[in-house]
Amino acid sequence: MTPCNRTRSWCMACTVLLGAVGAGAHAQSGETRVAPTAAESARPDPGVFGSGKLILTGGVSPLEGAAGGGLTPWAVIGGQGTRDEIGASAFYTRVGVQDYHLDDIGVLVGFFNRLELSIAKQRFDTEDVGAALGLGRGFTFSQDIVGIKLRVAGDAVLAQDSWLPQFAVGIQYKRNDRGAVLDAIGARDDDGVDYYLSATKLYLDHSLLANLTLRMTRANQIGLLGFGGDRSDRHKPQLEGSIAWLLSRNVAIGAEYRMKPDNLGIAGEDDWYDAFVAWAPSRHVSLTLAWAHLGNIVIEDDQRGLYASVQIAL
Amino acid sequence: MNPTWFPRLLATAFALAAACAPARSLADENPAPAHPELLPVFDQFGGKPGLDALMDDFMIALVDDPRTRDYFAEADQKHVKAMLSEQFCVILGGPCTYTGKGMKEAHAKLKINEAVFNALVEDLQKAMDLHRIPFRAQNKLLAKLAPMHREVVTMP
């Protein structure tokens, strides 16, 4: 809004509101009551564990446990808690592509719409590829992820008079359980840390939600193949984006894109993208289905398949 | 540079600030800012009669909802509905005049947190669904109402 416009709308506000206040004062002049009305005695639910958030505004749980889209964290704080409530959620996700599948479980707690703590456990099953590589059929890599996210500025949902997004910063510590194998394929470490900055905004008058995340990472296939490699061992900036179109109060469709580094010489890595539909049959349950393109994974190219996730939020 | 240009600008700026600043603290935000560009949305709501009918079901939902019931059950529901209908009408560019109070004044004595505010939004959404108002039209109205949380939410 230009200063000129702002001034004009203020002055309009002056005029209209002075009128409104005048009318209110006039209406009250005849009243003599001192006891509070029933409405004045009304109180919100006093519990600190609340579920006052608007439906779907807590996002769903992506692969790494922090609230957001399917592939990328958003600046929203997970769970159903508002600014004076603590919320929590749990999820299970399965991704099945031609030659692999991934099982992923996690929980998060959101404190006062400000701070989010999350943990997730991923199990990546190599199916027949494991046998082909001499690791054994159905060889799995498991990874634990502990995340913390802090909302630093803005309001994605209620501040609809500003185009400015909500910002959050986050850290994810990841530890993989297959150090020896990771060493053999050229990964430098079996644990690593991602740092990210997310900006998220609901553009309600367009029924659109947009997110952009900048992540500093050295993870190979988000850490499932370790951290750093022969090509590069440094944290590199990667962009991740989501766009969601709200179709109704409880259905959204959208698409996501996630850039990834390519650190391992023997296991080339591609960016990921998906198209999704999220459905929240109630404020406590959401289901996400996505068609995901994961590109090359180790020795199998053009991996694509279904991403299915269920989330329970309190 | 013309030497009188800058002091004159400064004086104008101060005059503007003086004119607006006290009024802002007294009257706060405009409770019914008109958005003429939303006139097509006003039509999607069925005009003023549509808004009046919507308020009947909105109030039923508010009294039915345990999170909002106590704020409305013994209120002058007829008056609240009339004021809301006027307010929404003006916001959607309709030919109405809002005769109610400012949002801050109207809610100052009430204990309203964000969860209660959101509950009210949800009840409004349900009522709008009941009246088959297109979702995108609903959101265009809600986008104008949402910023009022700054004055409606009184705690903490």
Side-chain angles (χ1 to χ4, degrees):
Chain A
M1 190 186 264
T2 65
C4 183
N5 274 338
R6 176 163 294 173
T7 307
R8 194 185 306 145
S9 68
W10 276 16
C11 292
M12 238 163 70
C14 303
T15 320
V16 174
L17 267 147
L18 282 173
V21 170
H26 179 70
Q28 275 185 341
S29 60
E31 295 174 27
T32 50
R33 66 174 166 76
V34 278
T37 64
E40 285 168 24
S41 309
R43 294 288 182 274
D45 185 333
V48 74
F49 293 96
S51 55
K53 237 183 218 159
L54 290 170
I55 206 160
L56 273 176
T57 61
V60 296
S61 290
L63 293 172
E64 292 150 309
L71 296 182
T72 179
W74 293 350
V76 301
I77 299 299
Q80 284 289 318
T82 60
R83 67 183 86 158
D84 32 36
E85 296 171 334
I86 295 173
S89 70
F91 74 95
Y92 167 71
T93 298
R94 186 179 176 101
V95 187
V97 290
Q98 296 98 318
D99 298 293
Y100 308 96
H101 67 265
L102 176 77
D103 291 293
D104 192 358
I105 57 168
V107 295
L108 68 77
V109 184
F111 297 90
F112 312 112
N113 201 26
R114 174 63 67 185
L115 180 75
E116 175 189 291
L117 302 178
S118 61
I119 52 170
K121 188 173 189 72
Q122 302 173 329
R123 203 184 62 191
F124 173 56
D125 191 318
T126 57
E127 301 182 3
D128 289 340
V129 175
L133 295 175
L135 298 168
R137 187 173 188 283
F139 182 85
T140 60
F141 294 88
S142 286
Q143 174 171 245
D144 296 321
I145 302 172
V146 179
I148 180 168
K149 185 202 288 179
L150 180 70
R151 180 171 70 84
V152 290
D155 183 336
V157 179
L158 290 179
Q160 290 297 318
D161 48 352
S162 163
W163 61 271
L164 276 172
Q166 173 168 325
F167 290 96
V169 291
I171 299 172
Q172 292 172 342
Y173 172 73
K174 307 176 175 184
R175 177 180 279 280
N176 192 301
D177 73 336
R178 295 292 191 179
V181 176
L182 297 174
D183 198 38
I185 62 171
R188 293 288 183 256
D189 282 304
D190 60 1
D191 67 346
V193 181
D194 287 359
Y195 309 91
Y196 64 88
L197 168 69
S198 284
T200 306
K201 188 72 181 185
L202 174 64
Y203 296 99
L204 195 55
D205 50 356
H206 301 287
S207 301
L208 275 179
L209 185 142
N211 174 76
L212 198 63
T213 296
L214 175 68
R215 183 194 298 262
M216 298 296 292
T217 184
R218 53 194 275 273
N220 312 320
Q221 299 290 13
I222 70 172
L224 293 168
L225 296 182
F227 303 84
D230 48 309
R231 285 190 190 159
S232 169
D233 191 31
R234 295 204 322 272
H235 278 85
K236 283 191 192 152
Q238 308 289 328
L239 274 179
E240 305 169 5
S242 314
I243 185 131
W245 187 35
L246 311 178
L247 297 183
S248 76
R249 244 186 325 144
N250 41 20
V251 178
I253 58 170
E256 297 182 282
Y257 195 93
R258 175 166 179 171
M259 284 170 62
K260 289 165 45 257
D262 190 13
N263 300 328
L264 293 175
I266 64 162
E269 185 169 341
D270 295 317
D271 294 350
W272 285 357
Y273 54 97
D274 73 22
F276 68 84
V277 53
W279 175 48
S282 89
R283 60 164 49 253
H284 299 296
V285 181
S286 62
L287 304 165
T288 309
L289 274 182
W291 184 251
H293 285 240
L294 307 184
N296 189 72
I297 298 177
V298 195
I299 57 168
E300 297 294 347
D301 204 6
D302 200 23
Q303 296 292 305
R304 58 182 76 179
L306 203 60
Y307 168 116
S309 182
V310 56
Q311 179 180 257
I312 310 292
L314 300 173
Chain B
M1 193 193 287
N2 183 340
T4 64
W5 176 82
F6 185 70
R8 203 177 291 165
L9 180 80
L10 213 61
T12 310
F14 273 114
L16 264 177
C20 269
R24 186 175 167 83
S25 61
L26 176 73
D28 305 298
E29 299 292 330
N30 181 356
H35 293 273
E37 76 279 9
L38 292 182
L39 202 54
V41 180
F42 180 65
D43 292 336
Q44 287 178 290
F45 274 78
K48 187 66 165 58
L51 286 172
D52 289 338
L54 174 67
M55 291 318 152
D56 290 338
D57 285 306
F58 182 28
M59 186 56 73
I60 289 170
L62 287 168
V63 174
D64 193 44
D65 184 340
R67 300 169 297 177
T68 51
R69 178 182 300 146
D70 293 347
Y71 298 91
F72 294 97
E74 288 174 47
D76 182 350
Q77 296 179 5
K78 202 176 157 198
H79 177 72
V80 174
K81 287 193 284 187
M83 291 305 103
L84 286 170
S85 188
E86 283 180 8
Q87 185 187 32
F88 290 11
C89 176
V90 173
I91 289 172
L92 295 178
C96 304
T97 307
Y98 177 61
T99 58
K101 299 177 187 177
M103 288 299 100
K104 197 164 193 167
E105 191 201 357
H107 300 90
K109 290 181 176 172
L110 306 179
K111 300 274 185 293
I112 298 173
N113 68 4
E114 192 187 329
V116 171
F117 181 84
N118 288 344
L120 177 136
V121 172
E122 232 176 73
D123 293 331
L124 176 57
Q125 287 178 312
K126 282 177 192 162
M128 291 189 292
D129 280 350
L130 197 67
H131 285 254
R132 306 207 176 281
I133 290 155
F135 181 65
R136 291 173 64 79
Q138 296 184 15
N139 287 346
K140 285 182 191 293
L141 172 64
L142 292 176
K144 303 304 178 210
L145 300 179
M148 295 179 182
H149 79 100
R150 293 190 200 103
E151 296 188 317
V152 172
V153 175
T154 53
M155 61 185 282

